[in-house]
Amino acid sequence: MGRPRALVAVVAGAVLLAGCGTGPSQVGSAAIVGDTSISIDQVQNLIDKAVREHPYAQKLASEHKLDLLGRAFVGQLVLHELLMKAAQQEGISPNYGQIDAQLAKDPLTGPVPANSANEAQAVSQVATRARDHREELTDANLAQALADKTMPNLAVTFDYTSIGSLPTSDGQEPPQGPAAQKAAYDLGRQFAADPAAATKRIGGDNQYEQSLRQQAASQGQNVDSIPPLTGLGVVLPAAQAGVLAATPIFGSAAGTVAVFPYPNQQGTWFVAVVRQRADDKPVATEQPQSLDPATKGAIGMRQLQPYFDRLGVRVNPRYGVWDVVGLTVVPNQDAAQGLVLSSGASKQQ
């Protein structure tokens, strides 16, 4: 009798624990996307369902951490609504044959165990599996379709530098860990406040990087395998950008400064100024990169970034704030995966 009673207590406690936080609330709504309301009750029902079905959610409840699930559900539901709006505007529809075939094998079945080691990954899995499986698979299918629709016409021109890998000009080791993140954020805010200074700084960094590469090459070192750490006037079609097409530079308007972890370069931060965005005609490219479904889906999700502001999305502060870089809800802006700033701005968005 002890275990059933404990589980009942956990489920009951979910009502009190979900969406904990401070700040004013939008009455009845966890988030509002255009004219669509995602209700607090809808989020709460999903949390209750997750606690009933998934040992990991029960573990979160016992640790008073169901707020993590609340944010995950709100984030996924906001993206779902944005996908519906984008699909309607772009004239795309899901491939129901593919979705039915996936449902026949249902990759989302099964509980998420309590001993899962990666908390962020486990929370996301619980949220994904607690939602309606057809809806979740439809979202994934639409995201890939959105990538297929937008990538052939999309290219961005940007300047960028990086923090965390390039030694300083006086020969000091680059900052690491939180110091690298702070330096990248500070630099991004400087670029947003003074775009001309951004051009000067990135130009200097680019010359310095080229001199380091030439020096290394003259010493017989192979530098071709090292990705570029700076660039001026880079014109990059989405079809050739690979995982970089899933980052904020491909979801931002011209004049935007974006700071985020450099993909596949652990400990390095990418600081970019988007100079131009073109998406109205086919872009001449070399052979497009082959993309796995997850990467293509992430690229499609990135194209939802402009819809967030266009539709006036509002997230109830009791759940947190929207992370433009991570495309999800986080407790506060300090927990965001990066920052996106308009020129002339110096605060995080």
Side-chain angles (χ1 to χ4, degrees), residues 112-192:
V112 179
N115 62 352
S116 298
N118 186 313
E119 181 177 81
Q121 185 179 60
V123 168
S124 178
Q125 288 177 343
V126 170
T128 297
R129 296 184 184 193
R131 290 178 59 203
D132 179 82
H133 291 188
R134 178 174 288 277
E135 180 178 274
E136 173 62 30
L137 292 173
T138 299
D139 285 354
N141 190 275
L142 276 176
Q144 293 177 43
L146 184 58
D148 287 334
K149 176 70 180 293
T150 58
M151 286 176 67
N153 295 347
L154 178 59
V156 294
T157 303
F158 59 98
D159 304 334
Y160 74 99
T161 188
S162 56
I163 301 291
S165 289
L166 194 66
T168 62
S169 57
D170 58 1
Q172 298 296 314
E173 289 296 316
Q176 302 293 317
Q181 180 180 8
K182 182 181 185 303
Y185 280 24
D186 289 347
L187 189 61
R189 293 186 177 101
Q190 291 174 25
F191 286 178

Side-chain angles (χ1 to χ4, degrees), residues 33-344:
V33 183
D35 56 1
T36 301
S37 173
I38 299 168
S39 72
I40 291 174
D41 286 344
Q42 180 182 0
V43 175
Q44 185 60 59
N45 289 338
L46 285 169
I47 292 173
D48 293 344
K49 181 174 184 287
V51 171
R52 288 194 303 270
E53 297 178 353
H54 295 278
Y56 197 87
Q58 296 162 21
K59 173 177 177 288
L60 291 176
S62 69
E63 296 173 348
H64 305 283
K65 294 168 69 174
L66 283 177
D67 56 314
L68 297 177
L69 264 184
R71 283 191 286 274
F73 280 124
V74 174
Q76 290 191 14
L77 294 173
V78 166
L79 288 176
H80 168 74
E81 294 300 333
L82 292 176
L83 267 171
M84 296 301 103
K85 307 290 186 184
Q88 182 178 18
Q89 180 161 325
E90 295 292 338
I92 60 176
S93 57
N95 186 320
Y96 292 110
Q98 291 181 359
I99 294 168
D100 288 342
Q102 287 180 306
L103 276 173
K105 299 179 180 179
D106 199 352
L108 303 178
T109 192
V112 179
N115 62 352
S116 298
N118 186 313
E119 181 177 81
Q121 185 179 60
V123 168
S124 178
Q125 288 177 343
V126 170
T128 297
R129 296 184 184 193
R131 290 178 59 203
D132 179 82
H133 291 188
R134 178 174 288 277
E135 180 178 274
E136 173 62 30
L137 292 173
T138 299
D139 285 354
N141 190 275
L142 276 176
Q144 293 177 43
L146 184 58
D148 287 334
K149 176 70 180 293
T150 58
M151 286 176 67
N153 295 347
L154 178 59
V156 294
T157 303
F158 59 98
D159 304 334
Y160 74 99
T161 188
S162 56
I163 301 291
S165 289
L166 194 66
T168 62
S169 57
D170 58 1
Q172 298 296 314
E173 289 296 316
Q176 302 293 317
Q181 180 180 8
K182 182 181 185 303
Y185 280 24
D186 289 347
L187 189 61
R189 293 186 177 101
Q190 291 174 25
F191 286 178
D194 188 352
T199 302
K200 182 178 179 180
R201 163 64 187 264
I202 294 173
D205 285 356
N206 185 250
Q207 290 181 354
Y208 177 55
E209 181 189 5
Q210 297 312 313
S211 69
L212 289 178
R213 287 179 177 274
Q214 291 171 6
Q215 181 180 353
S218 68
Q219 296 173 353
Q221 300 179 29
N222 180 12
V223 297
D224 293 339
S225 61
I226 302 174
L229 300 172
T230 64
L232 274 174
V234 177
V235 180
L236 186 59
Q240 291 182 252
V243 69
L244 202 61
T247 67
I249 58 174
F250 278 89
S252 300
T256 301
V257 175
V259 182
F260 52 90
Y262 198 140
N264 302 321
Q265 297 297 312
Q266 187 173 4
T268 301
W269 288 81
F270 199 98
V271 185
V273 182
V274 180
R275 300 299 185 184
Q276 186 176 354
R277 173 187 168 94
D279 59 6
D280 57 348
K281 59 184 179 181
V283 179
T285 64
E286 300 174 2
Q287 183 68 28
Q289 290 195 20
S290 178
L291 302 171
D292 60 79
T295 300
K296 184 182 288 187
I299 292 171
M301 287 293 190
R302 178 54 59 188
Q303 293 312 303
L304 302 178
Q305 183 180 328
Y307 285 87
F308 188 89
D309 290 328
R310 193 179 306 160
L311 294 171
V313 178
R314 289 176 289 159
V315 174
N316 190 320
R318 71 185 288 181
Y319 294 98
V321 298
W322 187 252
D323 175 4
V324 182
V325 176
L327 295 178
T328 190
V329 177
V330 293
N332 50 61
Q333 288 293 3
D334 290 340
Q337 295 180 30
L339 58 83
V340 174
L341 301 166
S342 299
S343 292

